[in-house]
Amino acid sequence: MRVRSSVRRIVQMMAIVLCLFVSMSSVFAAVNVTPQGKPDGSISVTGTSDHKKAPVALLVKEGNETRYINQGMTNDQGEYEFSFQLDPEKAYTGKVNVEGETKTFAISTKKQGEGGGTGNSGNPETPKPGTDKSKTIYLRIEGYNQTILPRTAITVDNFDLTPYLGRASGSSATPSDGWGPDKLPNVTAMHGIIRGLEQAGINPKDHQSGADIQDYGWGLYVAMIGGEREFDHRSTSGWMYRVNDELPSIGGQGYVLKDGDDMVWYFAAYGYDNMYSKIAANKTSVKPKEEIEVTLTSPDKGPVKNAVIYVNGQEAKNSGRKVSTDEQGKAKLTFDRPGSYTISAERFKQDIRDLIRPNPIKIEVNGEAAAPISIEELKKQFEELLAAANKEEDMVALIRQAVDQAVEAKRENDTQITEAIKNMQTIAGWIDKAAAKASMPASFTALAECNLRLLELAGELVDKPLSEAAKKEIEAVAIILLNGYVTTISKADEAGENAEAFVRLIKAVDKLHGKIDEKKIRPVIERLLSKSMEIAVKKEHIQDDGTKLLVIIDDTIIKEIERVQQKQKAIKQGIATSKLNATYLLDKPLTLLIPPGKSDKVRIQIDKEILDRLVNSINIRTQAAQFTLQPAAFAGVIEQGKVLTLQLDKVDAADYPAGFVSASESVHSMFLIDATVTGATVVPQQPIMFAIPYELPEGAALPAVYTSIKNERVSVPTTYNKDEKMLVTTLSAPGPVLVLTGQTGAYTDLAGFEWAKEAIYALKQKGIISGTSEMTFSPGKSITRAEFAALLARAYEQPATEKKLIPFRDVTADKWYAKDISVVYHAGIMTGISVDRFGPEQVISREEAAAVVSRLLKQKKGIGPQQPIELSFKDKQAISEWARQDIAFAVQQGIITGMGDQTFAPKRQVKRAEAAVMLYGLERLLIGK
């Protein structure tokens, strides 16, 4: 941790127990100090300073031995005060430090006439701390993600701390004379944490991953334990400690331990705002199905609400739904089976833990488990509830019970497995019927959880020896459950829509990977992940005067964006190793959804300060169009204190420049896009990405799209997002956008190649690829290396030149492909098959094409894998070594996939349809789709 010069940072440091003697400023001002000592050993140090609301540190010594260190803040008048207890009949020296200015003083607790302090001695004498060589205490170490050391009784001796200490990283460090028993004669909290780490198998001398206890000369500071370092997760993150539930006001080296002390060291992501918690239960021994009540409290802040209860390290579920504490910090639990259960709790704020896990309690459950209700009886009850009115909660509770029983049922033989599949099918049908009737967000959350639990069950069943018929039944029910999850989670409350649920879903689907058709799963997962990155703008942020909508992006919206981005990050980390390779979907911008208004004309306002807080691009989607706001595009064109206004208007011909639209043209839609600051148009420093809703008929080509540059109508590149049914285009500057009705121009030979139609027609419309005749495309024809090079050169408008020589003797200047090969070679996109041969007429293989598009993506986007990517194809050994990482990256980004049988077929020839799909997928990634 580095000591910063701002008061805000010092307060944060105090929050993580930095008991340092701070020296921070070169500006000096008056500091006065008035020490007073009494014969009973009580001491007060008061004073004044020109520094108001500033950090103040106090150091008191007896000879060369440090006896007291503390820190605080001056008040509004620059005053400060310390009160503490030392030994009677002693003389001390001290030093006060306020914002870098120090003042020394002498103080005594001797009686008057003996060089002592003033005041009466009526207070009881505080006994001198013992100097025993060891203390027996309880110690617990709670890391951020896990318990490093459970509550353990340990004996702590007094030893030299110096060999365990690391170098101070803050600017206030002073030379150290060591921290041996001569300086610390008593057993302290710092001795305790070092011995506790050793007990946990962590080397405190390993300052990279063990512990980093830093020596500031006049104080010690714990910067890292077990690899978890200050500022991980947030700027307020760091290590703190408590003894007997109290938060000491001094650093660990200053707190003297006593026999029986209960000490906890913990990582607090939110500093003082973290909830230190304790958990208790009204019963610790119960029978199956007997209810118990647990209570979670903070010694400082009272009841802890909205914390999830954990049982044996897993989220507690009541009929499949998370068990959370209420406003009073209470939650109810029941256990179906006998056994010993460990109870704890977790809580997250913006996907970051803000609860210190309590010391867990144990519950003993004794007796026989209750018999399950038959599926036939549950079916009868469900149908009655479905037909009845106002029975939504009962209906959902019954489905949860059915899922509980399905998950807990034995699946050890063919009969039990067959029954499990049948029950899954039945319950999946109930969930769909309940979702069609439900209206409460909490019900959809519960139903989504039921879908997810059954998907996890399906993932378990596919690993068992099954008949082909059983596999097909599981595939069918898995697709139903997956689609059901998407439907229910989209209507769920915030409790249901969390990163952990998405990660569980991906892991469940991973188990099904290779066992069921991926083409049926991937579109659902893509849609689900896309939905997870949408934020609906609430009405309080919108003004609608009937002629236009005014949307103000303020601090509340930014915080919601930050929350969803944290969730996005957690999902990405959780599915990084997924076989679906879907992480590229999470690299897309978040989307702000603007609800429909009385007009299709929209103004979006964002001031400079708020814009500067946007780290990543966001999509702003209205009923009529979508605009991608890239902070970097406007950061340099807006002055501090100014407001950026984005205009997204759907208009008619009357609003367009004269002559922009021909009377003979068939118009689909027209828009005006502008970006202004105080009424003046500003040109962004990056292209504008714009999209509109568009229904592209089957077999139709993309429509022509135009804008105006210097009063001249020009065509703009366009792609089609089939999933979202949107045209996506890129503009170099604000202006009008004209979308004409697309022409059909359909090829007659694409039967069986439906998966490639969108790509073929999109590239045809842009003039990148053409048919082999007016009516045919020849999708199954192989493509040569020269043809592939030409497609790349056309697609990305690389400037062809004849001036640069190429080393290939089989590419002469008179060949039609010579310029295109020169372009891709000098751009570093394609190389030859040898030093002096390009192989232009040679058919390109799948591994060659995948490697080429992967290189181009890395070059154009400046991205690439942070570490080697493991390929999971059965024939990965057949892939050439030089191409493996490029292919892995292309697969991860969704540009190319396997053959459906878990192979890649690297040497197989690329067909024209495949080439179109690869290039189209690459183009969509390059423009952000």
Side-chain angles (χ1 to χ4, degrees):
M1 180 177 192
R2 284 168 170 72
V3 180
R4 312 290 172 86
S5 60
S6 68
V7 171
R8 182 181 67 83
R9 176 58 67 201
I10 289 296
V11 174
Q12 291 175 353
M13 290 178 184
M14 290 178 64
I16 49 178
V17 199
L18 174 58
C19 185
L20 300 179
F21 201 70
V22 186
S23 175
M24 305 189 327
S25 173
S26 61
V27 180
F28 289 86
V31 173
N32 299 308
V33 59
T34 303
Q36 185 179 40
K38 296 182 179 181
D40 64 353
S42 60
I43 295 175
S44 68
V45 178
T46 59
T48 60
S49 166
D50 287 351
H51 299 289
K52 299 174 181 179
K53 288 190 174 180
V56 53
L58 173 66
L59 171 69
V60 178
K61 287 188 173 185
E62 180 186 1
N64 292 322
E65 181 182 348
T66 299
R67 296 304 308 275
Y68 184 80
I69 300 176
N70 204 351
Q71 63 181 14
M73 301 288 289
T74 61
N75 62 19
D76 290 339
Q77 288 74 46
E79 300 167 340
Y80 61 89
E81 180 178 1
F82 294 91
S83 296
F84 50 97
Q85 193 83 22
L86 292 178
D87 295 340
E89 299 295 312
K90 292 288 179 73
Y92 303 97
T93 58
K95 181 164 63 174
V96 172
N97 183 317
V98 184
E99 281 284 345
E101 183 183 5
T102 61
K103 192 82 171 181
T104 59
F105 61 90
I107 190 169
S108 172
T109 56
K110 295 181 179 180
K111 294 179 181 178
Q112 292 188 27
E114 301 177 9
T118 60
N120 65 61
S121 57
N123 293 331
E125 183 173 315
T126 300
K128 182 177 179 179
T131 57
D132 297 341
K133 298 300 181 183
S134 66
K135 299 293 178 185
T136 299
I137 65 166
Y138 290 99
L139 176 64
R140 178 163 58 101
I141 307 175
E142 287 291 342
Y144 178 77
N145 287 312
Q146 62 182 341
T147 300
I148 295 173
L149 180 71
R151 185 172 181 266
T152 304
I154 65 170
T155 298
V156 184
D157 56 329
N158 188 345
F159 56 91
D160 188 354
L161 298 176
T162 309
Y164 297 88
L165 306 180
R167 192 173 182 179
S169 57
S171 60
S172 63
T174 60
S176 175
D177 55 2
W179 293 87
D182 56 332
K183 190 170 186 177
L184 298 175
N186 301 298
V187 178
T188 70
M190 206 62 76
H191 292 93
I193 183 61
I194 289 174
R195 287 294 184 245
L197 290 169
E198 292 174 334
Q199 179 95 0
I202 292 175
N203 181 6
K205 296 180 180 179
D206 177 0
H207 304 320
Q208 297 301 314
S209 59
D212 185 11
I213 303 174
Q214 298 183 358
D215 183 357
Y216 275 77
W218 37 263
L220 303 180
Y221 170 63
V222 178
M224 181 274 291
I225 290 176
E228 293 179 347
R229 186 172 291 277
E230 55 175 352
F231 302 145
D232 285 355
H233 309 289
R234 295 185 88 248
S235 61
T236 55
S237 301
W239 284 91
M240 304 176 71
Y241 80 104
R242 289 187 180 236
V243 181
N244 304 324
D245 296 331
E246 297 293 330
L247 191 65
S249 59
I250 57 176
Q253 80 287 340
Y255 191 94
V256 177
L257 294 174
K258 304 183 297 295
D259 282 324
D261 275 344
D262 209 324
M263 183 167 67
V264 183
W265 282 81
Y266 55 90
F267 188 90
Y270 286 93
Y272 268 122
D273 289 337
N274 266 82
M275 297 282 273
Y276 176 83
S277 66
K278 304 190 73 172
I279 194 168
N282 64 337
K283 304 173 188 176
T284 56
S285 180
V286 293
K287 297 178 180 178
K289 295 292 185 182
E290 183 180 351
E291 188 176 82
I292 68 166
E293 182 178 82
V294 297
T295 303
L296 191 67
T297 58
S298 166
D300 312 312
K301 303 174 183 179
V304 180
K305 64 180 180 179
N306 298 327
V308 178
I309 301 301
Y310 274 63
V311 176
N312 291 344
Q314 302 293 321
E315 288 181 348
K317 300 289 178 67
N318 183 358
S319 297
R321 192 174 186 185
K322 289 181 186 177
V323 177
S324 300
T325 54
D326 60 19
E327 294 288 329
Q328 288 74 47
K330 297 182 182 298
K332 292 179 170 54
L333 292 172
T334 58
F335 301 92
D336 295 332
R337 292 190 176 88
S340 180
Y341 297 89
T342 301
I343 314 299
S344 187
E346 293 269 22
R347 194 177 76 172
F348 291 81
K349 178 181 177 182
Q350 297 181 348
D351 289 325
I352 297 177
R353 283 183 174 86
D354 74 334
L355 179 77
I356 306 305
R357 285 179 295 273
N359 187 47
I361 56 174
K362 283 192 177 293
I363 305 294
E364 296 294 335
V365 181
N366 302 295
E368 294 184 2
I373 302 173
S374 69
I375 194 73
E376 290 77 16
E377 178 59 29
L378 287 174
K379 181 179 179 181
K380 179 181 177 182
Q381 294 178 22
F382 174 76
E383 290 173 346
E384 291 173 354
L385 292 171
L386 186 65
N390 302 319
K391 293 293 184 180
E392 181 175 328
E393 291 183 340
D394 294 337
M395 181 171 58
V396 172
L398 183 141
I399 292 175
R400 289 179 187 156
Q401 182 180 355
V403 173
D404 281 346
Q405 291 187 181
V407 170
E408 294 168 3
K410 292 182 178 180
R411 297 175 288 278
E412 297 172 354
N413 55 50
D414 291 347
T415 301
Q416 291 172 346
I417 292 171
T418 300
E419 184 178 357
I421 296 172
K422 181 180 177 182
N423 290 344
M424 282 175 56
Q425 294 169 328
T426 299
I427 300 168
W430 295 355
I431 295 172
D432 279 354
K433 290 178 181 178
K437 190 173 181 180
S439 60
M440 296 184 294
S443 296
F444 288 108
T445 298
L447 294 173
E449 173 68 19
C450 290
N451 272 309
L452 180 52
R453 295 181 73 204
L454 291 179
L455 267 171
E456 290 172 330
L457 176 57
E460 177 194 327
L461 288 174
V462 294
D463 284 336
K464 296 183 179 294
L466 300 172
S467 66
E468 288 302 314
K471 289 179 182 178
K472 288 188 178 296
E473 287 179 345
I474 291 179
E475 177 180 3
V477 75
I479 299 300
I480 292 170
L481 291 167
L482 194 54
N483 282 290
Y485 183 83
V486 175
T487 300
T488 50
I489 201 66
S490 66
K491 301 177 183 178
D493 55 25
E494 287 188 8
E497 190 184 352
N498 58 72
E500 185 177 359
F502 283 104
V503 173
R504 284 176 57 201
L505 177 74
I506 297 297
K507 288 182 177 178
V509 172
D510 256 2
K511 289 185 178 181
L512 301 169
H513 189 268
K515 310 290 177 63
I516 65 178
D517 190 351
E518 182 180 331
K519 292 179 182 177
K520 296 179 181 178
I521 294 177
R522 179 172 286 277
V524 184
I525 295 298
E526 290 180 350
R527 189 165 81 252
L528 182 64
L529 290 177
S530 296
K531 288 288 184 184
S532 76
M533 296 186 291
E534 293 180 349
I535 301 170
V537 177
K538 297 179 180 178
K539 291 182 178 180
E540 53 261 36
H541 299 288
I542 301 172
Q543 299 173 23
D544 188 352
D545 64 3
T547 64
K548 64 181 179 301
L549 284 177
L550 175 61
V551 182
I552 301 174
I553 299 179
D554 61 7
D555 180 70
T556 304
I557 293 179
I558 292 296
K559 285 181 178 177
E560 180 63 9
I561 290 172
E562 291 170 347
R563 183 191 72 80
V564 175
Q565 285 174 336
Q566 284 288 345
K567 181 179 76 173
Q568 185 180 4
K569 180 180 177 182
I571 294 173
K572 191 170 183 179
Q573 290 174 342
I575 68 173
T577 58
S578 167
K579 298 172 185 175
L580 286 171
N581 298 311
T583 54
Y584 71 95
L585 294 164
L586 295 166
D587 293 326
K588 298 178 182 180
L590 301 182
T591 299
L592 286 183
L593 301 176
I594 311 298
K598 299 173 184 177
S599 170
D600 280 334
K601 297 182 178 181
V602 179
R603 303 292 183 276
I604 296 150
Q605 289 187 348
I606 178 169
D607 65 34
K608 171 68 171 173
E609 182 182 358
I610 293 293
L611 183 66
D612 288 344
R613 287 175 58 189
L614 275 177
V615 178
N616 301 312
S617 299
I618 58 170
N619 291 326
I620 300 173
R621 183 179 298 176
T622 71
Q623 181 176 241
Q626 176 175 291
F627 179 96
T628 300
L629 175 59
Q630 303 177 81
F634 293 98
V637 297
I638 306 175
E639 297 177 3
Q640 202 67 36
K642 299 294 185 180
V643 176
L644 170 69
T645 300
L646 301 173
Q647 175 183 338
L648 299 170
D649 291 357
K650 186 176 183 181
V651 299
D652 53 34
D655 298 304
Y656 260 40
F660 190 72
V661 184
S662 168
S664 63
E665 290 179 317
S666 177
V667 176
H668 173 272
S669 52
M670 296 182 286
F671 298 86
L672 282 176
I673 300 174
D674 203 0
T676 60
V677 176
T678 60
T681 295
V682 294
V683 178
Q685 297 169 318
Q686 294 179 8
I688 298 170
M689 298 175 70
F690 180 68
I692 64 168
Y694 191 91
E695 288 281 351
L696 187 68
E698 183 70 24
L702 283 172
V705 180
Y706 298 94
T707 188
S708 177
I709 298 178
K710 295 180 180 180
N711 296 320
E712 181 181 348
R713 193 170 101 163
V714 296
S715 176
V716 291
T718 306
T719 60
Y720 187 63
N721 184 325
K722 187 175 181 180
D723 293 335
E724 297 182 2
K725 292 183 170 58
M726 297 191 80
L727 286 177
V728 183
T729 189
T730 304
L731 307 173
S732 59
V737 176
L738 169 65
V739 183
L740 300 180
T741 302
Q743 305 298 313
T744 56
Y747 294 119
T748 60
D749 61 344
L750 296 184
F753 290 89
E754 286 75 15
W755 49 272
K757 280 185 177 181
E758 178 186 339
I760 291 168
Y761 287 125
L763 298 182
K764 175 191 175 185
Q765 188 271 335
K766 299 181 71 174
I768 295 171
I769 200 167
S770 59
T772 50
S773 73
E774 185 176 344
M775 300 296 291
T776 61
F777 182 77
S778 303
K781 181 182 177 183
S782 297
I783 193 166
T784 66
R785 285 172 52 82
E787 289 170 329
F788 200 71
L791 291 178
L792 291 173
R794 284 181 222 146
Y796 305 107
E797 300 174 351
Q798 302 280 359
T801 176
E802 295 180 88
K803 295 181 179 179
K804 291 186 177 180
L805 299 176
I806 53 176
F808 308 121
R809 52 189 173 87
D810 56 353
V811 181
T812 56
D814 61 331
K815 298 292 186 180
W816 67 266
Y817 45 71
K819 291 182 182 180
D820 295 322
I821 290 175
S822 176
V823 167
V824 296
Y825 172 73
H826 287 292
I829 298 169
M830 287 187 75
T831 59
I833 59 175
S834 68
V835 175
D836 61 351
R837 292 181 62 239
F838 186 80
E841 304 297 338
Q842 182 175 312
V843 174
I844 195 166
S845 68
R846 279 171 54 82
E847 71 175 4
E848 288 177 306
V852 166
V853 294
S854 180
R855 281 184 221 130
L856 185 54
L857 177 61
K858 294 174 190 176
Q859 182 187 103
K860 288 285 187 179
K861 293 284 279 187
I863 61 174
Q866 300 300 311
Q867 54 189 11
I869 304 170
E870 180 65 30
L871 286 167
S872 59
F873 298 114
K874 291 178 180 178
D875 59 347
K876 63 182 179 181
Q877 295 303 322
I879 299 173
S880 299
E881 184 67 33
W882 59 265
R884 284 183 185 174
Q885 281 307 300
D886 283 329
I887 289 172
F889 185 58
V891 171
Q892 183 191 65
Q893 297 298 309
I895 297 172
I896 191 170
T897 60
M899 301 303 295
D901 58 353
Q902 293 186 285
T903 65
F904 183 75
K907 312 302 181 187
R908 207 195 76 158
Q909 298 175 354
V910 173
K911 309 302 181 184
R912 282 169 53 81
E914 289 179 296
V917 169
M918 274 191 266
L919 291 178
Y920 185 53
L922 176 60
E923 183 180 62
R924 293 178 74 188
L925 283 173
L926 289 176
I927 68 169
K929 276 309 300 168

